[in-house]
Amino acid sequence: MEHKDLQECIRSLAMMTETDSFLISCYLNLEKGAAGCRDFLRVRELLLEKNVPDGLRNNFSKTMGKIHSFLSEKSFRGEKGLAIFSREGSVPFFLALEFHVPLPNQIVMDLTPHIYPLIELMDTYHRYVVVISTEKSARILEVHTGSITESLWMERSELRKRVGREWTKEHYQNHRQDRGGKFIKEKIRILERVMSAGGHTHLILAGSPQKTSRLKKALPRRLTDNLVDTVVIDERAETGSVVEATLATFIEQEQKESFAAVEMLQREINTNGLAVVGSEATLEALKRGQADMLILAKEFYEGELKEELVKLAVRYGIKIETVSGSHILNQYGGVGCLLRYLLPEHYT
């Protein structure tokens, strides 16, 4: 699923209104296969059923039945996480989202979708561009939530095949040296175009040390500012292995950016600047459309309030930053937001 498609799904789920039936939000970890998920699902189903009013038992049974049927009929290949939203009644609804990164097992029964796990997924595994440079090929790929969503550019060198056929080795070496500088300039020109057109802000270089080092040195400042890291990979590495290697690097970078957001929040609070902290102040800022960024601790324990906060942020198009293990943010109650403007009372 592409970045924009997942964004649209999350927005649609956040905008859904209550109906006469419960909606089941089901998040499953597929790393150990669908069989283990079905066992977890049955246990949770028995617990949830006890809280379903008699008049809604039939709808609840049909809702869970659709989820069971999907798990039984679907063949998963490489997917590690699954999110299912199901509802019967006067306004039936069913949506299944598959991911190449794991999701924690969780099933919630409510009148509207439970979307926080998708928000955390989007923030942790945000999209990035990876440039793979080896002797055999050069590729520019977009990676989102652990999988390649788009092949932005590909070039394969066929020059080696000409050695010994129509060129001497000396001719080949001279041609490669002449072509090398032009090729890097061409690659950078294409990279600038795809980064700009797609609104990408994170870049990772992968390949042999020689190739990545040469490319890195040639990058202009506007691309260097977006560079997360360089990753060494084997010439024979398959694309899936490259994604795994770059994904680990990207998650580390995302963690740094999350802590940087908390530091900015603390700085604004200390200088009576554009920020508020705590559940009540953050909720009010979101309701007024005053917030610019919602910063939320992954350890924030108030489930219903967490859902309300992230849904408001999604509806208003406000960036959400999820943070793990921040002592500073936890001292603020686990939540705060940067503001677009101050109200008159904030100046006193």
Side-chain angles (χ1 to χ4, degrees), residues 10 13-14 16 23-27 83-86 97 104 106-119 301-308 310-311:
I10 291 175
L13 291 168
M16 287 180 68
L23 188 148
I24 300 296
S25 301
C26 178
Y27 294 91
I84 300 176
F85 303 90
S86 181
L97 305 173
Q106 186 178 4
I107 300 175
V108 177
M109 180 177 68
D110 206 342
L111 294 175
T112 56
H114 183 77
I115 67 169
Y116 176 76
L118 291 181
I119 297 295
Y301 60 89
E302 298 180 55
E304 288 187 13
L305 178 57
K306 180 186 284 188
E307 278 295 305
E308 186 176 3
V310 297
K311 284 177 180 175

PDB file of all heavy atoms in Angstrom, residues 10 13-14 16 23-27 83-86 97 104 106-119 301-308 310-311:
ATOM      1  N   ILE A  10      -6.608   5.998   6.740  1.00  0.00           N
ATOM      2  CA  ILE A  10      -6.631   6.462   8.131  1.00  0.00           C
ATOM      3  C   ILE A  10      -7.601   7.627   8.286  1.00  0.00           C
ATOM      4  O   ILE A  10      -8.371   7.688   9.253  1.00  0.00           O
ATOM      5  CB  ILE A  10      -5.210   6.857   8.587  1.00  0.00           C
ATOM      6  CG1 ILE A  10      -4.329   5.616   8.692  1.00  0.00           C
ATOM      7  CG2 ILE A  10      -5.256   7.591   9.926  1.00  0.00           C
ATOM      8  CD1 ILE A  10      -2.876   5.909   9.023  1.00  0.00           C
ATOM      9  N   LEU A  13     -11.168   6.337   8.180  1.00  0.00           N
ATOM     10  CA  LEU A  13     -11.511   5.667   9.437  1.00  0.00           C
ATOM     11  C   LEU A  13     -11.739   6.679  10.555  1.00  0.00           C
ATOM     12  O   LEU A  13     -12.652   6.522  11.373  1.00  0.00           O
ATOM     13  CB  LEU A  13     -10.393   4.696   9.831  1.00  0.00           C
ATOM     14  CG  LEU A  13     -10.230   3.453   8.950  1.00  0.00           C
ATOM     15  CD1 LEU A  13      -8.921   2.737   9.273  1.00  0.00           C
ATOM     16  CD2 LEU A  13     -11.420   2.503   9.113  1.00  0.00           C
ATOM     17  N   ALA A  14     -10.922   7.735  10.587  1.00  0.00           N
ATOM     18  CA  ALA A  14     -11.062   8.768  11.625  1.00  0.00           C
ATOM     19  C   ALA A  14     -12.355   9.546  11.487  1.00  0.00           C
ATOM     20  O   ALA A  14     -12.885  10.076  12.479  1.00  0.00           O
ATOM     21  CB  ALA A  14      -9.871   9.724  11.570  1.00  0.00           C
ATOM     22  N   MET A  16     -15.258   8.277  10.386  1.00  0.00           N
ATOM     23  CA  MET A  16     -16.455   7.431  10.501  1.00  0.00           C
ATOM     24  C   MET A  16     -17.263   7.775  11.745  1.00  0.00           C
ATOM     25  O   MET A  16     -16.710   8.074  12.804  1.00  0.00           O
ATOM     26  CB  MET A  16     -16.064   5.949  10.531  1.00  0.00           C
ATOM     27  CG  MET A  16     -15.601   5.421   9.178  1.00  0.00           C
ATOM     28  SD  MET A  16     -15.141   3.664   9.215  1.00  0.00           S
ATOM     29  CE  MET A  16     -16.767   2.905   9.493  1.00  0.00           C
ATOM     30  N   LEU A  23     -18.254  -1.839  15.996  1.00  0.00           N
ATOM     31  CA  LEU A  23     -17.236  -2.036  14.971  1.00  0.00           C
ATOM     32  C   LEU A  23     -16.024  -2.679  15.636  1.00  0.00           C
ATOM     33  O   LEU A  23     -15.571  -2.221  16.686  1.00  0.00           O
ATOM     34  CB  LEU A  23     -16.854  -0.712  14.314  1.00  0.00           C
ATOM     35  CG  LEU A  23     -15.941  -0.808  13.086  1.00  0.00           C
ATOM     36  CD1 LEU A  23     -16.253   0.325  12.098  1.00  0.00           C
ATOM     37  CD2 LEU A  23     -14.464  -0.741  13.473  1.00  0.00           C
ATOM     38  N   ILE A  24     -15.519  -3.736  15.035  1.00  0.00           N
ATOM     39  CA  ILE A  24     -14.357  -4.434  15.572  1.00  0.00           C
ATOM     40  C   ILE A  24     -13.097  -3.947  14.857  1.00  0.00           C
ATOM     41  O   ILE A  24     -13.013  -4.000  13.631  1.00  0.00           O
ATOM     42  CB  ILE A  24     -14.481  -5.968  15.399  1.00  0.00           C
ATOM     43  CG1 ILE A  24     -15.725  -6.487  16.125  1.00  0.00           C
ATOM     44  CG2 ILE A  24     -13.227  -6.663  15.902  1.00  0.00           C
ATOM     45  CD1 ILE A  24     -15.697  -6.307  17.622  1.00  0.00           C
ATOM     46  N   SER A  25     -12.139  -3.450  15.634  1.00  0.00           N
ATOM     47  CA  SER A  25     -10.819  -3.083  15.107  1.00  0.00           C
ATOM     48  C   SER A  25      -9.850  -4.175  15.548  1.00  0.00           C
ATOM     49  O   SER A  25      -9.593  -4.353  16.741  1.00  0.00           O
ATOM     50  CB  SER A  25     -10.372  -1.735  15.664  1.00  0.00           C
ATOM     51  OG  SER A  25     -11.292  -0.716  15.335  1.00  0.00           O
ATOM     52  N   CYS A  26      -9.346  -4.927  14.580  1.00  0.00           N
ATOM     53  CA  CYS A  26      -8.549  -6.118  14.863  1.00  0.00           C
ATOM     54  C   CYS A  26      -7.142  -5.950  14.302  1.00  0.00           C
ATOM     55  O   CYS A  26      -6.965  -5.814  13.084  1.00  0.00           O
ATOM     56  CB  CYS A  26      -9.246  -7.334  14.248  1.00  0.00           C
ATOM     57  SG  CYS A  26      -8.368  -8.877  14.452  1.00  0.00           S
ATOM     58  N   TYR A  27      -6.142  -5.951  15.163  1.00  0.00           N
ATOM     59  CA  TYR A  27      -4.745  -5.851  14.754  1.00  0.00           C
ATOM     60  C   TYR A  27      -4.038  -7.155  15.099  1.00  0.00           C
ATOM     61  O   TYR A  27      -4.122  -7.628  16.243  1.00  0.00           O
ATOM     62  CB  TYR A  27      -4.052  -4.692  15.465  1.00  0.00           C
ATOM     63  CG  TYR A  27      -4.590  -3.335  15.072  1.00  0.00           C
ATOM     64  CD1 TYR A  27      -5.628  -2.733  15.782  1.00  0.00           C
ATOM     65  CD2 TYR A  27      -4.072  -2.656  13.972  1.00  0.00           C
ATOM     66  CE1 TYR A  27      -6.125  -1.491  15.419  1.00  0.00           C
ATOM     67  CE2 TYR A  27      -4.560  -1.412  13.596  1.00  0.00           C
ATOM     68  CZ  TYR A  27      -5.581  -0.840  14.324  1.00  0.00           C
ATOM     69  OH  TYR A  27      -6.077   0.383  13.950  1.00  0.00           O
ATOM     70  N   ALA A  83      -4.337  -5.495   9.746  1.00  0.00           N
ATOM     71  CA  ALA A  83      -5.362  -4.693  10.429  1.00  0.00           C
ATOM     72  C   ALA A  83      -6.689  -4.926   9.726  1.00  0.00           C
ATOM     73  O   ALA A  83      -6.788  -4.790   8.510  1.00  0.00           O
ATOM     74  CB  ALA A  83      -4.995  -3.216  10.394  1.00  0.00           C
ATOM     75  N   ILE A  84      -7.719  -5.305  10.497  1.00  0.00           N
ATOM     76  CA  ILE A  84      -9.040  -5.562   9.937  1.00  0.00           C
ATOM     77  C   ILE A  84     -10.068  -4.720  10.688  1.00  0.00           C
ATOM     78  O   ILE A  84     -10.069  -4.678  11.929  1.00  0.00           O
ATOM     79  CB  ILE A  84      -9.436  -7.050  10.044  1.00  0.00           C
ATOM     80  CG1 ILE A  84      -8.436  -7.938   9.300  1.00  0.00           C
ATOM     81  CG2 ILE A  84     -10.844  -7.275   9.487  1.00  0.00           C
ATOM     82  CD1 ILE A  84      -8.713  -9.421   9.442  1.00  0.00           C
ATOM     83  N   PHE A  85     -10.951  -4.081   9.951  1.00  0.00           N
ATOM     84  CA  PHE A  85     -12.045  -3.305  10.533  1.00  0.00           C
ATOM     85  C   PHE A  85     -13.339  -3.887   9.980  1.00  0.00           C
ATOM     86  O   PHE A  85     -13.550  -3.923   8.766  1.00  0.00           O
ATOM     87  CB  PHE A  85     -11.906  -1.825  10.169  1.00  0.00           C
ATOM     88  CG  PHE A  85     -10.590  -1.242  10.600  1.00  0.00           C
ATOM     89  CD1 PHE A  85      -9.494  -1.272   9.743  1.00  0.00           C
ATOM     90  CD2 PHE A  85     -10.440  -0.694  11.863  1.00  0.00           C
ATOM     91  CE1 PHE A  85      -8.264  -0.755  10.141  1.00  0.00           C
ATOM     92  CE2 PHE A  85      -9.207  -0.174  12.270  1.00  0.00           C
ATOM     93  CZ  PHE A  85      -8.124  -0.210  11.407  1.00  0.00           C
ATOM     94  N   SER A  86     -14.208  -4.336  10.875  1.00  0.00           N
ATOM     95  CA  SER A  86     -15.406  -5.062  10.437  1.00  0.00           C
ATOM     96  C   SER A  86     -16.624  -4.631  11.235  1.00  0.00           C
ATOM     97  O   SER A  86     -16.545  -4.428  12.461  1.00  0.00           O
ATOM     98  CB  SER A  86     -15.177  -6.577  10.599  1.00  0.00           C
ATOM     99  OG  SER A  86     -16.287  -7.315  10.161  1.00  0.00           O
ATOM    100  N   LEU A  97      -6.132  -4.402   5.872  1.00  0.00           N
ATOM    101  CA  LEU A  97      -4.879  -3.775   5.463  1.00  0.00           C
ATOM    102  C   LEU A  97      -3.726  -4.696   5.850  1.00  0.00           C
ATOM    103  O   LEU A  97      -3.605  -5.096   7.013  1.00  0.00           O
ATOM    104  CB  LEU A  97      -4.701  -2.421   6.140  1.00  0.00           C
ATOM    105  CG  LEU A  97      -5.839  -1.396   5.947  1.00  0.00           C
ATOM    106  CD1 LEU A  97      -5.600  -0.171   6.819  1.00  0.00           C
ATOM    107  CD2 LEU A  97      -5.952  -1.002   4.487  1.00  0.00           C
ATOM    108  N   PRO A 104       1.109  -5.241  16.880  1.00  0.00           N
ATOM    109  CA  PRO A 104       0.819  -5.993  18.111  1.00  0.00           C
ATOM    110  C   PRO A 104      -0.601  -6.552  18.077  1.00  0.00           C
ATOM    111  O   PRO A 104      -1.520  -5.908  17.571  1.00  0.00           O
ATOM    112  CB  PRO A 104       0.966  -4.932  19.207  1.00  0.00           C
ATOM    113  CG  PRO A 104       0.680  -3.641  18.510  1.00  0.00           C
ATOM    114  CD  PRO A 104       1.197  -3.789  17.112  1.00  0.00           C
ATOM    115  N   GLN A 106      -4.112  -7.058  18.999  1.00  0.00           N
ATOM    116  CA  GLN A 106      -5.030  -6.189  19.740  1.00  0.00           C
ATOM    117  C   GLN A 106      -6.397  -6.210  19.064  1.00  0.00           C
ATOM    118  O   GLN A 106      -6.487  -6.088  17.843  1.00  0.00           O
ATOM    119  CB  GLN A 106      -4.480  -4.764  19.777  1.00  0.00           C
ATOM    120  CG  GLN A 106      -5.273  -3.803  20.626  1.00  0.00           C
ATOM    121  CD  GLN A 106      -4.627  -2.423  20.648  1.00  0.00           C
ATOM    122  OE1 GLN A 106      -3.632  -2.174  19.972  1.00  0.00           O
ATOM    123  NE2 GLN A 106      -5.191  -1.512  21.412  1.00  0.00           N
ATOM    124  N   ILE A 107      -7.444  -6.374  19.824  1.00  0.00           N
ATOM    125  CA  ILE A 107      -8.804  -6.347  19.277  1.00  0.00           C
ATOM    126  C   ILE A 107      -9.658  -5.430  20.150  1.00  0.00           C
ATOM    127  O   ILE A 107      -9.739  -5.603  21.362  1.00  0.00           O
ATOM    128  CB  ILE A 107      -9.433  -7.753  19.229  1.00  0.00           C
ATOM    129  CG1 ILE A 107      -8.582  -8.673  18.352  1.00  0.00           C
ATOM    130  CG2 ILE A 107     -10.854  -7.688  18.678  1.00  0.00           C
ATOM    131  CD1 ILE A 107      -9.048 -10.104  18.341  1.00  0.00           C
ATOM    132  N   VAL A 108     -10.271  -4.451  19.516  1.00  0.00           N
ATOM    133  CA  VAL A 108     -11.072  -3.459  20.242  1.00  0.00           C
ATOM    134  C   VAL A 108     -12.485  -3.447  19.678  1.00  0.00           C
ATOM    135  O   VAL A 108     -12.674  -3.419  18.455  1.00  0.00           O
ATOM    136  CB  VAL A 108     -10.452  -2.048  20.119  1.00  0.00           C
ATOM    137  CG1 VAL A 108     -11.328  -1.013  20.817  1.00  0.00           C
ATOM    138  CG2 VAL A 108      -9.039  -2.038  20.691  1.00  0.00           C
ATOM    139  N   MET A 109     -13.463  -3.446  20.562  1.00  0.00           N
ATOM    140  CA  MET A 109     -14.867  -3.339  20.168  1.00  0.00           C
ATOM    141  C   MET A 109     -15.384  -1.975  20.607  1.00  0.00           C
ATOM    142  O   MET A 109     -15.366  -1.632  21.784  1.00  0.00           O
ATOM    143  CB  MET A 109     -15.697  -4.453  20.823  1.00  0.00           C
ATOM    144  CG  MET A 109     -17.181  -4.423  20.465  1.00  0.00           C
ATOM    145  SD  MET A 109     -18.098  -5.807  21.206  1.00  0.00           S
ATOM    146  CE  MET A 109     -18.023  -5.376  22.962  1.00  0.00           C
ATOM    147  N   ASP A 110     -15.820  -1.184  19.636  1.00  0.00           N
ATOM    148  CA  ASP A 110     -16.301   0.158  19.937  1.00  0.00           C
ATOM    149  C   ASP A 110     -17.288   0.554  18.853  1.00  0.00           C
ATOM    150  O   ASP A 110     -17.545  -0.210  17.917  1.00  0.00           O
ATOM    151  CB  ASP A 110     -15.133   1.147  19.990  1.00  0.00           C
ATOM    152  CG  ASP A 110     -15.424   2.353  20.869  1.00  0.00           C
ATOM    153  OD1 ASP A 110     -16.611   2.614  21.156  1.00  0.00           O
ATOM    154  OD2 ASP A 110     -14.462   3.038  21.258  1.00  0.00           O
ATOM    155  N   LEU A 111     -17.828   1.766  18.943  1.00  0.00           N
ATOM    156  CA  LEU A 111     -18.781   2.227  17.935  1.00  0.00           C
ATOM    157  C   LEU A 111     -18.090   2.864  16.733  1.00  0.00           C
ATOM    158  O   LEU A 111     -18.714   3.071  15.688  1.00  0.00           O
ATOM    159  CB  LEU A 111     -19.770   3.211  18.567  1.00  0.00           C
ATOM    160  CG  LEU A 111     -20.697   2.604  19.629  1.00  0.00           C
ATOM    161  CD1 LEU A 111     -21.547   3.699  20.278  1.00  0.00           C
ATOM    162  CD2 LEU A 111     -21.590   1.526  19.036  1.00  0.00           C
ATOM    163  N   THR A 112     -16.808   3.206  16.886  1.00  0.00           N
ATOM    164  CA  THR A 112     -16.020   3.769  15.777  1.00  0.00           C
ATOM    165  C   THR A 112     -14.671   3.048  15.728  1.00  0.00           C
ATOM    166  O   THR A 112     -14.271   2.399  16.707  1.00  0.00           O
ATOM    167  CB  THR A 112     -15.797   5.287  15.950  1.00  0.00           C
ATOM    168  OG1 THR A 112     -15.176   5.515  17.225  1.00  0.00           O
ATOM    169  CG2 THR A 112     -17.108   6.044  15.852  1.00  0.00           C
ATOM    170  N   PRO A 113     -13.939   3.150  14.627  1.00  0.00           N
ATOM    171  CA  PRO A 113     -12.650   2.448  14.509  1.00  0.00           C
ATOM    172  C   PRO A 113     -11.622   2.916  15.530  1.00  0.00           C
ATOM    173  O   PRO A 113     -11.601   4.077  15.925  1.00  0.00           O
ATOM    174  CB  PRO A 113     -12.192   2.781  13.084  1.00  0.00           C
ATOM    175  CG  PRO A 113     -13.424   3.177  12.359  1.00  0.00           C
ATOM    176  CD  PRO A 113     -14.305   3.845  13.373  1.00  0.00           C
ATOM    177  N   HIS A 114     -10.756   2.006  15.907  1.00  0.00           N
ATOM    178  CA  HIS A 114      -9.631   2.290  16.795  1.00  0.00           C
ATOM    179  C   HIS A 114      -8.408   2.417  15.893  1.00  0.00           C
ATOM    180  O   HIS A 114      -7.932   1.437  15.313  1.00  0.00           O
ATOM    181  CB  HIS A 114      -9.473   1.116  17.773  1.00  0.00           C
ATOM    182  CG  HIS A 114      -8.394   1.297  18.790  1.00  0.00           C
ATOM    183  ND1 HIS A 114      -8.523   2.089  19.898  1.00  0.00           N
ATOM    184  CD2 HIS A 114      -7.144   0.770  18.855  1.00  0.00           C
ATOM    185  CE1 HIS A 114      -7.417   2.048  20.613  1.00  0.00           C
ATOM    186  NE2 HIS A 114      -6.558   1.253  19.998  1.00  0.00           N
ATOM    187  N   ILE A 115      -7.852   3.630  15.734  1.00  0.00           N
ATOM    188  CA  ILE A 115      -6.834   3.867  14.697  1.00  0.00           C
ATOM    189  C   ILE A 115      -5.427   4.126  15.225  1.00  0.00           C
ATOM    190  O   ILE A 115      -4.490   4.215  14.424  1.00  0.00           O
ATOM    191  CB  ILE A 115      -7.244   5.036  13.776  1.00  0.00           C
ATOM    192  CG1 ILE A 115      -7.241   6.365  14.551  1.00  0.00           C
ATOM    193  CG2 ILE A 115      -8.587   4.785  13.120  1.00  0.00           C
ATOM    194  CD1 ILE A 115      -7.373   7.591  13.667  1.00  0.00           C
ATOM    195  N   TYR A 116      -5.245   4.242  16.543  1.00  0.00           N
ATOM    196  CA  TYR A 116      -3.907   4.598  17.034  1.00  0.00           C
ATOM    197  C   TYR A 116      -2.804   3.659  16.534  1.00  0.00           C
ATOM    198  O   TYR A 116      -1.720   4.139  16.154  1.00  0.00           O
ATOM    199  CB  TYR A 116      -3.859   4.679  18.565  1.00  0.00           C
ATOM    200  CG  TYR A 116      -2.451   4.939  19.037  1.00  0.00           C
ATOM    201  CD1 TYR A 116      -1.887   6.208  18.933  1.00  0.00           C
ATOM    202  CD2 TYR A 116      -1.648   3.891  19.513  1.00  0.00           C
ATOM    203  CE1 TYR A 116      -0.571   6.440  19.301  1.00  0.00           C
ATOM    204  CE2 TYR A 116      -0.330   4.118  19.877  1.00  0.00           C
ATOM    205  CZ  TYR A 116       0.198   5.383  19.774  1.00  0.00           C
ATOM    206  OH  TYR A 116       1.510   5.605  20.124  1.00  0.00           O
ATOM    207  N   PRO A 117      -2.984   2.327  16.521  1.00  0.00           N
ATOM    208  CA  PRO A 117      -1.902   1.462  16.013  1.00  0.00           C
ATOM    209  C   PRO A 117      -1.468   1.812  14.593  1.00  0.00           C
ATOM    210  O   PRO A 117      -0.281   1.678  14.259  1.00  0.00           O
ATOM    211  CB  PRO A 117      -2.524   0.060  16.080  1.00  0.00           C
ATOM    212  CG  PRO A 117      -3.503   0.151  17.199  1.00  0.00           C
ATOM    213  CD  PRO A 117      -4.098   1.520  17.067  1.00  0.00           C
ATOM    214  N   LEU A 118      -2.400   2.271  13.753  1.00  0.00           N
ATOM    215  CA  LEU A 118      -2.029   2.687  12.400  1.00  0.00           C
ATOM    216  C   LEU A 118      -1.226   3.987  12.422  1.00  0.00           C
ATOM    217  O   LEU A 118      -0.301   4.174  11.631  1.00  0.00           O
ATOM    218  CB  LEU A 118      -3.276   2.878  11.532  1.00  0.00           C
ATOM    219  CG  LEU A 118      -4.065   1.627  11.143  1.00  0.00           C
ATOM    220  CD1 LEU A 118      -5.242   2.017  10.255  1.00  0.00           C
ATOM    221  CD2 LEU A 118      -3.180   0.602  10.441  1.00  0.00           C
ATOM    222  N   ILE A 119      -1.579   4.880  13.344  1.00  0.00           N
ATOM    223  CA  ILE A 119      -0.843   6.141  13.492  1.00  0.00           C
ATOM    224  C   ILE A 119       0.600   5.857  13.898  1.00  0.00           C
ATOM    225  O   ILE A 119       1.551   6.418  13.333  1.00  0.00           O
ATOM    226  CB  ILE A 119      -1.523   7.046  14.545  1.00  0.00           C
ATOM    227  CG1 ILE A 119      -2.937   7.434  14.110  1.00  0.00           C
ATOM    228  CG2 ILE A 119      -0.666   8.269  14.835  1.00  0.00           C
ATOM    229  CD1 ILE A 119      -2.994   8.289  12.876  1.00  0.00           C
ATOM    230  N   TYR A 301      -1.341   5.917  28.557  1.00  0.00           N
ATOM    231  CA  TYR A 301      -2.200   4.781  28.903  1.00  0.00           C
ATOM    232  C   TYR A 301      -3.699   5.051  28.750  1.00  0.00           C
ATOM    233  O   TYR A 301      -4.504   4.116  28.812  1.00  0.00           O
ATOM    234  CB  TYR A 301      -1.930   4.349  30.354  1.00  0.00           C
ATOM    235  CG  TYR A 301      -2.189   5.431  31.374  1.00  0.00           C
ATOM    236  CD1 TYR A 301      -3.439   5.594  31.955  1.00  0.00           C
ATOM    237  CD2 TYR A 301      -1.165   6.300  31.760  1.00  0.00           C
ATOM    238  CE1 TYR A 301      -3.680   6.588  32.876  1.00  0.00           C
ATOM    239  CE2 TYR A 301      -1.403   7.302  32.690  1.00  0.00           C
ATOM    240  CZ  TYR A 301      -2.651   7.445  33.248  1.00  0.00           C
ATOM    241  OH  TYR A 301      -2.876   8.438  34.162  1.00  0.00           O
ATOM    242  N   GLU A 302      -4.111   6.283  28.567  1.00  0.00           N
ATOM    243  CA  GLU A 302      -5.546   6.582  28.485  1.00  0.00           C
ATOM    244  C   GLU A 302      -6.052   6.280  27.068  1.00  0.00           C
ATOM    245  O   GLU A 302      -6.020   7.146  26.180  1.00  0.00           O
ATOM    246  CB  GLU A 302      -5.798   8.041  28.856  1.00  0.00           C
ATOM    247  CG  GLU A 302      -5.393   8.381  30.291  1.00  0.00           C
ATOM    248  CD  GLU A 302      -5.650   9.833  30.627  1.00  0.00           C
ATOM    249  OE1 GLU A 302      -6.810  10.276  30.466  1.00  0.00           O
ATOM    250  OE2 GLU A 302      -4.710  10.513  31.044  1.00  0.00           O
ATOM    251  N   GLY A 303      -6.517   5.050  26.870  1.00  0.00           N
ATOM    252  CA  GLY A 303      -6.876   4.567  25.542  1.00  0.00           C
ATOM    253  C   GLY A 303      -7.918   5.390  24.812  1.00  0.00           C
ATOM    254  O   GLY A 303      -7.741   5.761  23.648  1.00  0.00           O
ATOM    255  N   GLU A 304      -9.025   5.689  25.487  1.00  0.00           N
ATOM    256  CA  GLU A 304     -10.109   6.442  24.838  1.00  0.00           C
ATOM    257  C   GLU A 304      -9.665   7.860  24.494  1.00  0.00           C
ATOM    258  O   GLU A 304      -9.969   8.378  23.411  1.00  0.00           O
ATOM    259  CB  GLU A 304     -11.336   6.471  25.745  1.00  0.00           C
ATOM    260  CG  GLU A 304     -12.051   5.131  25.847  1.00  0.00           C
ATOM    261  CD  GLU A 304     -13.351   5.246  26.621  1.00  0.00           C
ATOM    262  OE1 GLU A 304     -13.804   6.391  26.857  1.00  0.00           O
ATOM    263  OE2 GLU A 304     -13.913   4.202  26.991  1.00  0.00           O
ATOM    264  N   LEU A 305      -8.933   8.484  25.406  1.00  0.00           N
ATOM    265  CA  LEU A 305      -8.450   9.840  25.157  1.00  0.00           C
ATOM    266  C   LEU A 305      -7.405   9.837  24.041  1.00  0.00           C
ATOM    267  O   LEU A 305      -7.383  10.739  23.193  1.00  0.00           O
ATOM    268  CB  LEU A 305      -7.857  10.436  26.433  1.00  0.00           C
ATOM    269  CG  LEU A 305      -7.269  11.842  26.315  1.00  0.00           C
ATOM    270  CD1 LEU A 305      -8.312  12.832  25.782  1.00  0.00           C
ATOM    271  CD2 LEU A 305      -6.711  12.313  27.646  1.00  0.00           C
ATOM    272  N   LYS A 306      -6.553   8.818  24.020  1.00  0.00           N
ATOM    273  CA  LYS A 306      -5.543   8.710  22.965  1.00  0.00           C
ATOM    274  C   LYS A 306      -6.219   8.656  21.598  1.00  0.00           C
ATOM    275  O   LYS A 306      -5.788   9.325  20.656  1.00  0.00           O
ATOM    276  CB  LYS A 306      -4.689   7.456  23.182  1.00  0.00           C
ATOM    277  CG  LYS A 306      -3.605   7.266  22.120  1.00  0.00           C
ATOM    278  CD  LYS A 306      -2.866   5.944  22.285  1.00  0.00           C
ATOM    279  CE  LYS A 306      -1.900   6.001  23.418  1.00  0.00           C
ATOM    280  NZ  LYS A 306      -1.030   4.775  23.472  1.00  0.00           N
ATOM    281  N   GLU A 307      -7.295   7.877  21.495  1.00  0.00           N
ATOM    282  CA  GLU A 307      -8.042   7.784  20.242  1.00  0.00           C
ATOM    283  C   GLU A 307      -8.646   9.126  19.850  1.00  0.00           C
ATOM    284  O   GLU A 307      -8.596   9.529  18.683  1.00  0.00           O
ATOM    285  CB  GLU A 307      -9.150   6.736  20.362  1.00  0.00           C
ATOM    286  CG  GLU A 307      -8.695   5.324  20.148  1.00  0.00           C
ATOM    287  CD  GLU A 307      -8.203   5.097  18.733  1.00  0.00           C
ATOM    288  OE1 GLU A 307      -8.939   5.364  17.761  1.00  0.00           O
ATOM    289  OE2 GLU A 307      -7.057   4.642  18.583  1.00  0.00           O
ATOM    290  N   GLU A 308      -9.202   9.832  20.832  1.00  0.00           N
ATOM    291  CA  GLU A 308      -9.810  11.136  20.549  1.00  0.00           C
ATOM    292  C   GLU A 308      -8.757  12.122  20.059  1.00  0.00           C
ATOM    293  O   GLU A 308      -8.991  12.881  19.100  1.00  0.00           O
ATOM    294  CB  GLU A 308     -10.503  11.684  21.795  1.00  0.00           C
ATOM    295  CG  GLU A 308     -11.273  12.973  21.530  1.00  0.00           C
ATOM    296  CD  GLU A 308     -12.037  13.469  22.745  1.00  0.00           C
ATOM    297  OE1 GLU A 308     -11.922  12.848  23.820  1.00  0.00           O
ATOM    298  OE2 GLU A 308     -12.743  14.496  22.605  1.00  0.00           O
ATOM    299  N   VAL A 310      -5.771  11.506  18.551  1.00  0.00           N
ATOM    300  CA  VAL A 310      -5.232  11.220  17.212  1.00  0.00           C
ATOM    301  C   VAL A 310      -6.289  11.424  16.131  1.00  0.00           C
ATOM    302  O   VAL A 310      -5.977  11.869  15.018  1.00  0.00           O
ATOM    303  CB  VAL A 310      -4.629   9.795  17.130  1.00  0.00           C
ATOM    304  CG1 VAL A 310      -3.446   9.667  18.072  1.00  0.00           C
ATOM    305  CG2 VAL A 310      -5.656   8.713  17.390  1.00  0.00           C
ATOM    306  N   LYS A 311      -7.555  11.149  16.438  1.00  0.00           N
ATOM    307  CA  LYS A 311      -8.611  11.371  15.443  1.00  0.00           C
ATOM    308  C   LYS A 311      -8.795  12.855  15.149  1.00  0.00           C
ATOM    309  O   LYS A 311      -8.987  13.251  13.997  1.00  0.00           O
ATOM    310  CB  LYS A 311      -9.921  10.739  15.908  1.00  0.00           C
ATOM    311  CG  LYS A 311      -9.944   9.221  15.763  1.00  0.00           C
ATOM    312  CD  LYS A 311     -11.218   8.610  16.295  1.00  0.00           C
ATOM    313  CE  LYS A 311     -11.194   7.104  16.118  1.00  0.00           C
ATOM    314  NZ  LYS A 311     -12.365   6.446  16.737  1.00  0.00           N
TER     315      LYS A 311
END
